Amino acid sequence: MNDLQALFPNGFQLLAILLMAGTTYFTRIAGYLILRKGKISARINAVLEAAPCCVMISIVAPFFMTDDPITLISLLLTVVYSIRFNFALTVIFSVLTQCLLLHFF
């Protein structure tokens, strides 16, 4: 496999990415769709806002159980990014960090 092919996901990886994105999006809108005709209290709104983060944590959490130093460094930098930047930038930075660390080490 050449280096260019390694940058792009194969069919199964792409399917997994799309399913995770769909699951995250569904958890984001499902509560709002179910409760769209009723009044949403501040407490219910807080629960609805927290649901996508719970899904993302369940996807990422198993990676913390590794002994691979590159993955652990990437996870640490992702935590640092998440304190400073919004979610979209954190995802972009974390993917780039992992790619660069894997490429150079």
Side-chain angles (χ1 to χ4, degrees), residues 14-64:
L14 183 61
L15 179 63
I17 291 168
L18 292 175
L19 288 173
M20 286 186 280
T23 302
T24 303
Y25 183 72
F26 179 73
T27 61
R28 181 68 151 169
I29 64 165
Y32 292 108
L33 290 175
I34 293 169
L35 300 170
R36 69 178 174 253
K37 299 203 188 230
K39 185 173 174 135
I40 298 175
S41 69
R43 191 174 200 179
I44 292 174
N45 193 42
V47 170
L48 293 173
E49 291 292 324
C53 296
C54 295
V55 171
M56 294 306 294
I57 289 171
S58 68
I59 293 168
V60 174
F63 290 101
F64 282 95

